């Protein structure tokens, strides 16, 4: 009987090692995909800043904090659309 226990222990030990390898692979893949998500988020932020830069250069920071939108006088503010988007 002790020989049977040794075989069972060896099988359990092999299974534990295989599970440990799977855990390491899973942890590494999860970490890599988390970094990938952060990289994509950084790219989105850069694209938004790049797209908004001409408006900030032309109208200044007041573009974000004023709500006047008058094309005749070329005064533009994005506060109302920003507020509406955030409330929605």
């Amino acid at each position: 009987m002790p020989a049977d226990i040794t075989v069972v222990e060896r099988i359990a030990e092999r299974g534990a090692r295989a599970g440990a390898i799977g855990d390491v692979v899973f942890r590494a893949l999860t970490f890599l995909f988390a970094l990938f998500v952060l990289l994509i988020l950084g790219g989105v932020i850069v694209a938004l800043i790049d797209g908004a830069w001409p408006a900030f250069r032309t109208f200044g920071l007041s573009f974000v904090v004023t709500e006047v939108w008058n094309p005749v006088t070329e005064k533009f503010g994005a506060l109302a659309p920003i507020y509406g988007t955030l409330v929605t």
Side-chain angles (χ1 to χ4, degrees):
M1 290 267 255
D4 292 339
I5 294 173
T6 307
V7 171
V8 172
E9 287 176 356
R10 287 183 185 170
I11 292 171
E13 195 175 293
R14 285 183 191 160
R17 276 191 241 138
I21 291 170
D23 287 345
V24 169
V25 170
F26 178 77
R27 182 177 295 219
L29 283 174
T30 304
F31 181 75
L32 288 175
F33 282 115
L35 287 178
F36 185 64
V37 167
L38 291 176
L39 182 67
I40 290 173
L41 180 62
V44 168
I45 290 170
V46 167
L48 286 173
I49 291 171
D50 183 51
W53 189 251
F56 286 126
R57 194 169 1 119
T58 304
F59 303 111
L61 191 58
S62 65
F63 179 71
V64 177
V65 295
T66 59
E67 62 181 77
V68 175
W69 192 274
N70 191 347
V72 176
T73 60
E74 293 187 7
K75 294 194 187 253
F76 300 100
L79 184 62
I82 291 171
Y83 178 75
T85 300
L86 292 176
V87 168
T88 302

